[in-house]
Amino acid sequence: MAAIYKREVRSYLTSVLGYVFIAVNLLMVGIYFTNYNLNYGYPYMDYTLSGVCFIFLITTPILTMKTMAEERRQKTDQLLLTSPVTPARIVLGKYLALVTIFLIPMVILAFYPLILTMFGSVPLRADYTALFGYFLLGCTYLAVGLFISSLTESPVLAAVLTFGVSFLCYMSSAVGDFISGTAFATYISVLVLILLLCLILYAMTKSRIVTAGAFVVLAAALTVCYFADSSLLSGGIQKVIGIFDFSEPFYTFLDGIFDISSVLYYLSVIGICCFFAVQSIEKRRWGYHHGSYSVGWTAAVLAIVIVVNLTAAELPAGWTSIDMTENQYYTLSDQSREVLNGLTEDVTIYMLTEDGTSDGMTESLLEQYESSSSHIHVEERDLVQYPTFASNYTTETLSAGSLIVEMGDRSRVIPYSDLYEYSYSYYSSYASAFDGEGQITSAISYVSSEDIPKLYALEGHRESELSDTLTDQIEKENLEVESLNLVSAGSVPEDAAAVIIHSPQTDLSQEEAQMLLEYLQNGGNAFITSLYTGEEMPNFNSVLEYYGVTVMDGIVIEGDSDHYYPQNQIYLLPEIQSTSLTSSLVSDNRLVLMPISQAVESLGSVRDTVEITSLLQTSDSSYNKADALNMTTAEKEDGDAEGPFDVGVLITETVEGADGETDTSGEEAAEDENETRIVYFGSGYLLEEQMDSAVSGGNYELVMNCLSSLADHETTVAIPAKSLEVTYLTLTAANVNMFSILLTAALPVAFLAAGGVIWYRRRRR
């Protein structure tokens, strides 16, 4: 085999054919690379490789047409057939030589992502995963060309047939849709395909009996399917044709998933093509008597390959897929895994499709859910076949890609538009973030929860409104928010998990303050923010003072440039203290932005049962401007209180018994202990969407951690959306021109020139 391999490699490198193959591949990739990656500064290789993969339809026939056919035409195959080398070694040697020639441009392409790193951040793992998929795709087309070359002694015919078969494989998805238009068209189309397959079988075996028998059996089976269930025939043919779609596994790699099942698929196709080529050689060595023997081996090999691939397809996606994307789009977070581990009943997720098509990102993510828990079952529902299915769950019209999560009598609908977050640019929208995990995990938690905690947002005092983004995250956390007017309600509702008091600008009445205190004294919870207005708010402050804190007059100014937003000393970036509420931010080195914040001051005279824990704290260089409305300078002056200051605190107090009542024996009532918890921040601007965006979601992550804790959620399910935004590279015109000339002209011309020189020297000999 080594001798055949060396001879084949030498033949490609001593003739112009191999150099043309290398040059054309480098030229086409260079053109697309220049257009997508250099001109636009796009750091991913997926667009380039997906756009250029059609080149295999042209280069593969050129490289493989003489591999076996030329041996037969020149009768040199007789030397191989009578040599002690087995046909399997002959085929393997020739195929490895083809792969070696293909490896030359692939090695050069491996430097392209490294070139991009010179101009910015590049997702190398995703790019090299895409390149590996491109290599496997090319190797598969080479195996097809090798097999077809073994069927004929005409290199031209081999090239034409290789192009035709490769084109059908390239267009297989479109072909499947076309021939499945009507049942009769499907029947005729499949019959033609069966005839073509039987002709290939005859070319391999030269057995008329075997070929005719195969045609009769397959045609009869097709006819039965046609009259029994025409819809089954249409769906079945699409699945069968999908087997020949080489591009679908390739797109898995382009999506940044290193999929073992896709690798196995490509290796199976390569192995089958090489096996068929071996059988073609065996037929010429042993004549017609080898026909039946070849059919038996072919059936056995195909059965083994089908079983292996079907088994791999049934394996959990967590075993076969590795997420190589930069933002881990297809990797479940710890929060999701905790929710899945807590399931005790089955949850069904219906994915709505249309004509069998669905959203690839969502489909890959759902595979991770299904593989992570035996209680998760994913089913597809085609809107064409089941037009009224979604109406059982919602009156809303759902599009393909939408999801329905169901457990028992509870369900939640996730419209396709909710799976993505959209941004707007130049009067058009684009998907800027993928929120699949957040929406799906929230829905699973919702349908598997017995009770949904309620948060009551106080109103009637010109409170600030919660932003739409924050409201959406609260809903994802499976918390309900209702408005609360204490004047009309008369008290805080008994089912309140917590009360939200978001920056009131007018004071509470004494009665309202007393209602809040009664609620808190009985183990209630509150999330409170305030704004500096310069107005006196004694009743609002009395609630805070009862629990040992008050706010200092004025606002905090930060003197340490590491702890304020650029060029704005009142936009604080406080130190995040290590607590259960802030652990996720501390571990990920996140930031929280607190604009125009008041300092939270602890009072000395308070009950021993009250515990105050700092959440956010300014630096030692901070100071407080007491009369901020009339200050003339932001510089520190005499009389300004010096930091550090708390600007966010957690207050807790254990309450024994709901009302602290005693029984008839004088002993305290034996009721469960309750805990009052209050989270207070000195700036209501913390909850503004613009401030949250400035620190990449750090503010809302802190807020959601607090609200989730107050609602006694053991696991936070408000998972942030994963950004789809691309950080583009920065290249000058000179950079683009230099590399475009190198990649689209210098390299291809250099290989063509080398091939021409070698061809000319051999001709002169």
Side-chain angles (χ1 to χ4, degrees):
M1 184 184 76
I4 294 175
Y5 167 76
K6 293 177 181 178
R7 188 194 73 168
E8 292 293 319
V9 172
R10 189 182 302 111
S11 70
Y12 289 124
L13 296 181
T14 55
S15 68
V16 74
L17 192 61
Y19 293 95
V20 169
F21 174 83
I22 296 170
V24 172
N25 273 282
L26 291 177
L27 172 64
M28 295 307 300
V29 176
I31 292 173
Y32 277 79
F33 183 79
T34 299
N35 184 44
Y36 286 121
N37 299 101
L38 298 181
N39 283 333
Y40 292 102
Y42 188 67
Y44 292 89
M45 292 285 291
D46 55 349
Y47 281 176
T48 295
L49 297 179
S50 64
V52 81
C53 65
F54 75 91
I55 195 63
F56 292 126
L57 306 183
I58 302 171
T59 57
T60 299
I62 295 174
L63 188 66
T64 61
M65 64 181 182
K66 292 185 177 182
T67 306
M68 304 292 289
E70 187 72 8
E71 299 275 7
R72 293 181 62 181
R73 189 175 68 86
Q74 296 183 354
K75 308 303 181 183
T76 55
D77 63 327
Q78 298 301 319
L79 296 176
L80 292 176
L81 295 178
T82 56
S83 67
V85 182
T86 63
R89 291 178 179 271
I90 294 172
V91 171
L92 188 58
K94 287 179 173 291
Y95 178 71
L96 290 179
L98 292 171
V99 173
T100 300
I101 300 303
F102 182 45
L103 271 174
I104 295 174
M106 286 304 306
V107 170
I108 297 174
L109 294 182
F111 288 95
Y112 285 24
L114 299 180
I115 293 174
L116 297 178
T117 59
M118 300 167 59
F119 309 104
S121 177
V122 177
L124 290 177
R125 294 199 312 165
D127 280 352
Y128 282 113
T129 299
L131 281 169
F132 181 72
Y134 182 76
F135 172 69
L136 288 178
L137 180 64
C139 291
T140 303
Y141 278 113
L142 290 175
V144 172
L146 174 66
F147 163 56
I148 294 177
S149 181
S150 70
L151 297 177
T152 178
E153 62 181 23
S154 171
V156 175
L157 180 59
V160 172
L161 290 176
T162 300
F163 173 80
V165 173
S166 299
F167 181 76
L168 287 176
C169 292
Y170 182 77
M171 298 293 295
S172 58
S173 60
V175 171
D177 294 337
F178 173 74
I179 68 176
S180 297
T182 64
F184 182 72
T186 301
Y187 177 81
I188 298 300
S189 302
V190 177
L191 192 61
V192 172
L193 289 176
I194 291 174
L195 180 60
L196 291 175
L197 291 175
C198 288
L199 289 176
I200 294 176
L201 178 63
Y202 178 73
M204 293 175 56
T205 63
K206 294 295 183 181
S207 174
R208 295 184 179 88
I209 297 177
V210 171
T211 304
F215 179 77
V216 170
V217 170
L218 293 175
L222 176 66
T223 304
V224 171
C225 290
Y226 173 71
F227 286 105
D229 190 346
S230 58
S231 63
L232 178 63
L233 177 63
S234 300
I237 187 57
Q238 284 188 316
K239 292 182 179 179
V240 171
I241 291 180
I243 297 175
F244 300 96
D245 186 0
F246 297 164
S247 299
E248 184 176 354
F250 174 52
Y251 289 129
T252 301
F253 291 100
L254 294 184
D255 288 338
I257 302 175
F258 187 91
D259 186 35
I260 304 301
S261 298
S262 297
V263 174
L264 183 61
Y265 168 79
Y266 282 128
L267 294 179
S268 298
V269 175
I270 292 170
I272 289 174
C273 290
C274 290
F275 173 78
F276 284 169
V278 170
Q279 296 305 306
S280 180
I281 295 176
E282 290 281 10
K283 181 262 299 182
R284 293 200 302 276
R285 168 179 281 188
W286 301 107
Y288 300 153
H289 300 291
H290 181 70
S292 300
Y293 178 78
S294 174
V295 171
W297 267 108
T298 300
V301 169
L302 288 176
I304 293 173
V305 169
I306 291 173
V307 169
V308 170
N309 278 270
L310 289 177
T311 302
E314 293 300 321
L315 292 176
W319 296 6
T320 61
S321 300
I322 303 174
D323 188 355
M324 306 297 284
T325 58
E326 188 175 21
N327 291 330
Q328 298 290 280
Y329 299 121
Y330 313 107
T331 301
L332 299 184
S333 63
D334 292 338
Q335 296 99 311
S336 293
R337 296 191 183 278
E338 286 186 38
V339 171
L340 296 178
N341 291 336
L343 292 177
T344 57
E345 298 183 31
D346 290 347
V347 175
T348 302
I349 303 177
Y350 295 103
M351 180 170 57
L352 304 185
T353 64
E354 188 169 356
D355 292 330
T357 60
S358 60
D359 181 66
M361 292 191 70
T362 306
E363 187 174 1
S364 298
L365 182 62
L366 288 175
E367 290 177 357
Q368 296 296 323
Y369 277 93
E370 200 167 21
S371 66
S372 298
S373 174
S374 60
H375 291 291
I376 298 294
H377 304 283
V378 178
E379 297 182 12
E380 292 186 8
R381 288 292 183 270
D382 196 303
L383 291 173
V384 176
Q385 298 181 10
Y386 304 95
T388 62
F389 177 77
S391 62
N392 297 324
Y393 300 91
T394 180
T395 57
E396 182 181 357
T397 301
L398 299 179
S399 61
S402 302
L403 304 175
I404 299 173
V405 182
E406 179 183 48
M407 188 184 81
D409 297 332
R410 303 195 69 173
S411 64
R412 172 176 282 185
V413 174
I414 307 175
Y416 177 70
S417 58
D418 288 353
L419 295 173
Y420 291 87
E421 292 183 356
Y422 295 88
S423 298
Y424 295 88
S425 176
Y426 299 105
Y427 306 103
S428 63
S429 63
Y430 63 94
S432 58
F434 180 55
D435 196 23
E437 183 187 4
Q439 294 288 346
I440 296 170
T441 297
S442 174
I444 293 173
S445 178
Y446 172 80
V447 299
S448 60
S449 300
E450 295 183 359
D451 298 311
I452 303 300
K454 285 187 178 181
L455 306 178
Y456 285 89
L458 192 64
E459 63 176 21
H461 316 89
R462 294 170 55 198
E463 286 87 356
S464 300
E465 293 186 1
L466 302 178
S467 69
D468 292 339
T469 301
L470 180 57
T471 301
D472 290 342
Q473 291 200 24
I474 292 174
E475 291 178 355
K476 282 172 58 179
E477 183 64 18
N478 293 324
L479 300 173
E480 294 183 9
V481 180
E482 293 187 9
S483 299
L484 172 63
N485 188 315
L486 285 175
V487 175
S488 59
S491 65
V492 177
E494 294 182 358
D495 61 349
V499 174
I500 298 176
I501 307 175
H502 181 28
S503 305
Q505 297 185 46
T506 59
D507 197 16
L508 282 65
S509 66
Q510 290 185 355
E511 292 78 8
E512 289 174 312
Q514 184 60 37
M515 293 178 200
L516 286 173
L517 283 175
E518 290 178 359
Y519 165 71
L520 294 172
Q521 289 167 356
N522 285 279
N525 304 309
F527 180 91
I528 305 175
T529 66
S530 62
L531 293 176
Y532 175 70
T533 61
E535 299 289 335
E536 294 291 333
M537 300 181 66
N539 295 322
F540 172 78
N541 290 331
S542 68
V543 177
L544 298 175
E545 291 169 359
Y546 180 83
Y547 286 96
V549 296
T550 188
V551 289
M552 298 179 63
D553 290 335
I555 61 173
V556 178
I557 296 180
E558 183 59 73
D560 184 351
S561 60
D562 288 334
H563 290 83
Y564 64 80
Y565 205 69
Q567 302 179 349
N568 205 328
Q569 291 178 261
I570 61 176
Y571 278 54
L572 313 179
L573 295 172
E575 287 284 346
I576 303 175
Q577 306 302 300
S578 182
T579 68
S580 60
L581 300 181
T582 58
S583 58
S584 63
L585 290 94
V586 173
S587 61
D588 293 337
N589 296 317
R590 305 293 299 276
L591 296 176
V592 170
L593 180 59
M594 292 280 288
I596 317 175
S597 180
Q598 295 177 283
V600 182
E601 186 177 13
S602 297
L603 302 175
S605 56
V606 70
R607 300 173 301 284
D608 294 337
T609 53
V610 174
E611 182 179 351
I612 302 172
T613 304
S614 175
L615 299 177
L616 303 174
Q617 191 175 77
T618 62
S619 74
D620 295 340
S621 301
S622 61
Y623 47 93
N624 186 71
K625 286 287 184 181
D627 189 10
L629 293 178
N630 299 310
M631 69 178 183
T632 57
T633 178
E635 299 295 326
K636 187 176 184 302
E637 299 176 303
D638 293 338
D640 291 342
E642 298 180 351
F645 304 105
D646 290 331
V647 290
V649 295
L650 168 67
I651 307 168
T652 59
E653 182 178 20
T654 301
V655 181
E656 296 183 356
D659 298 310
E661 297 177 351
T662 58
D663 59 17
T664 54
S665 61
E667 297 179 356
E668 193 167 350
E671 297 188 20
D672 293 336
E673 289 186 346
N674 296 319
E675 186 178 52
T676 298
R677 289 170 294 173
I678 302 172
V679 176
Y680 175 57
F681 293 106
S683 172
Y685 297 111
L686 170 75
L687 275 62
E688 286 197 359
E689 188 171 347
Q690 184 179 2
M691 304 306 154
D692 177 66
S693 299
V695 287
S696 302
N699 283 14
Y700 283 177
E701 182 174 343
L702 174 60
V703 171
M704 291 310 306
N705 287 348
C706 294
L707 293 177
S708 178
S709 175
L710 294 177
D712 291 324
H713 275 193
E714 296 181 1
T715 303
T716 300
V717 296
I719 301 168
K722 298 179 181 180
S723 175
L724 295 173
E725 299 278 5
V726 176
T727 303
Y728 287 89
L729 309 175
T730 304
L731 291 88
T732 64
N735 297 142
V736 174
N737 292 334
M738 179 183 67
F739 282 105
S740 62
I741 292 172
L742 173 64
L743 302 180
T744 62
L747 274 177
V749 169
F751 277 100
L752 282 178
V757 169
I758 292 173
W759 172 80
Y760 180 74
R761 287 182 176 179
R762 290 191 64 198
R763 187 179 180 184
R764 291 290 300 271
R765 290 177 183 174

